[in-house]
Structure formats: C-alpha cells, structure tokens
C-alpha cells in the first residue's frame, strides 16, 4: 500500500501539539493536567517503563481472555515502533495517562490510528481520556485526514461504552464482525473528511 503525501508529511511533524497549542493544558475539578506530545523515539526509559506498566496493569487480563492472548514482546514492539506518537498527560510532573497513536494508511484511507488510550485509575472520570481523544480528532481535522480509528476488545466493556456511547465512535467500514462473529474485537472510527 502506498503512503500518501499527507501521511508522509504528518509523520515528519516532531510535535503535533504545535498545530493545536490550546490543547496543551486541561483543567477538571481543580486538577490541572499538562499535555505533552512526543515521538516514541524521544521517550526516555522511565517513561517507556511507565507506559508499558500502565498498559499491562489496565489491559493484560482483557488480552488474556481474547483469542490473541497477551504477548509482551509484541506489545513492546508495537508501543515503541519508530512511527508511534504519544500524547502524555502529566499532573504535577507525574505522568497519569497517555494516547499512543500513528499517522497511517488504512486501506486507502488517511487516518490517525489510536493504538492505546490508558489512564491511571485514580485519574479516571475527570474527562482526561475524552480530552486526549479530542486532541486526536482536532489533529485529524487540522491535517485533513479522513478519520480517527481504533480497535477495542469486545471483552473491554468499559472501553466499549466509552468509545461508543461517550464519544460516539461507530463500527468502521473495515470492521468484519458482520461476516465473522467469532472475532473478539471491533474496529471503530469517527469520520472527519471524505474525498469526493
């Protein structure tokens, strides 16, 4: 599959938040969160360790119930691939949540693919996950990419409810659950631009 010029240019951006500087700060219930954007290649070892440990803490049991299972080496490779970007939320200099995403082609569509959205348990219900997704949506619109996409496990009831009900994502045209009900994940998306 050929990479489009838009995706090629998007992957040259060092700090996507420079495109939407109003999104560098989030305040909820007297809590102030600083949002930082980094390429995976710029992450220090402590941050990488925290990213993986939070994913493992939040998701390992869900992965273990799925047909694909939990594969630590695969997740590490995926998390820290050179094409990966991160939005990281900090509270008082402590990382408390992140989104791992990529600018990518999905079939012929130019997309932002959200690989992970993970929030520390004590900072859930502040709207932080929703805010991080809104940043991805703003980037998608700003860069004129077609949609934001993600994959969510059918075993992840909290994630299913959040993405479908709270932030209104729906099954993507590439989701094949109608043809194969044994698949234990769904591909969801929200469309922002469509080619005529």
């Amino acid at each position: 599959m050929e990479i489009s010029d838009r995706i090629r240019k998007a992957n040259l951006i060092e700090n996507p938040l420079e495109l939407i500087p109003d999104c560098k700060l989030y305040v909820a219930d007297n809590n102030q969160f600083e949002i930082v954007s980094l390429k995976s290649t710029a992450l220090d070892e402590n941050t990488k360790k925290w990213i993986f440990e939070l994913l493992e803490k939040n998701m390992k049991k869900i992965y273990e119930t799925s047909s694909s299972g939990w594969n630590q080496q695969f997740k590490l490779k995926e998390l820290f691939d050179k094409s990966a970007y991160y939005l990281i939320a900090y509270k008082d200099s402590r990382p408390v949540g992140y989104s791992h995403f990529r600018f990518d082609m999905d079939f012929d569509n130019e997309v932002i693919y959200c690989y992970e959205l993970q929030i520390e348990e004590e900072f859930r219900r502040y709207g932080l996950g929703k805010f991080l997704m809104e940043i991805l949506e703003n980037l998608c619109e700003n860069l004129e990419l077609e949609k934001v996409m993600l994959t969510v496990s059918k075993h992840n009831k909290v994630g299913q409810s959040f993405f479908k009900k709270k932030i209104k994502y729906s099954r993507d045209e590439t989701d094949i659950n109608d043809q194969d009900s044994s698949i234990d994940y769904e591909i969801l998306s929200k469309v922002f631009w469509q080619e005529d």
Side-chain angles (χ1 to χ4, degrees), residues 55-122:
L55 172 70
E56 185 175 43
K57 180 170 57 175
N58 289 350
M59 299 299 297
K60 185 176 181 181
K61 286 182 182 172
I62 291 170
Y63 273 101
E64 286 174 339
T65 62
S66 75
S67 59
S68 59
W70 173 255
N71 183 329
Q72 181 171 325
Q73 288 311 112
F74 175 80
K75 290 312 290 181
L76 284 165
K77 185 177 178 188
E78 181 182 82
L79 284 169
F80 305 119
D81 185 274
K82 66 180 180 179
S83 63
Y85 281 84
Y86 283 85
L87 294 172
I88 303 176
Y90 290 88
K91 168 87 171 99
D92 301 324
S93 301
R94 173 187 162 208
V96 297
Y98 69 86
S99 170
H100 159 211
F101 67 98
R102 298 184 196 179
F103 301 111
D104 209 349
M105 298 296 294
D106 188 74
F107 293 92
D108 289 330
N109 301 313
E110 299 164 327
V111 305
I112 292 178
Y113 210 107
C114 178
Y115 281 73
E116 297 294 340
L117 180 66
Q118 301 296 333
I119 308 293
E120 293 280 4
E121 190 170 359
E122 67 189 276

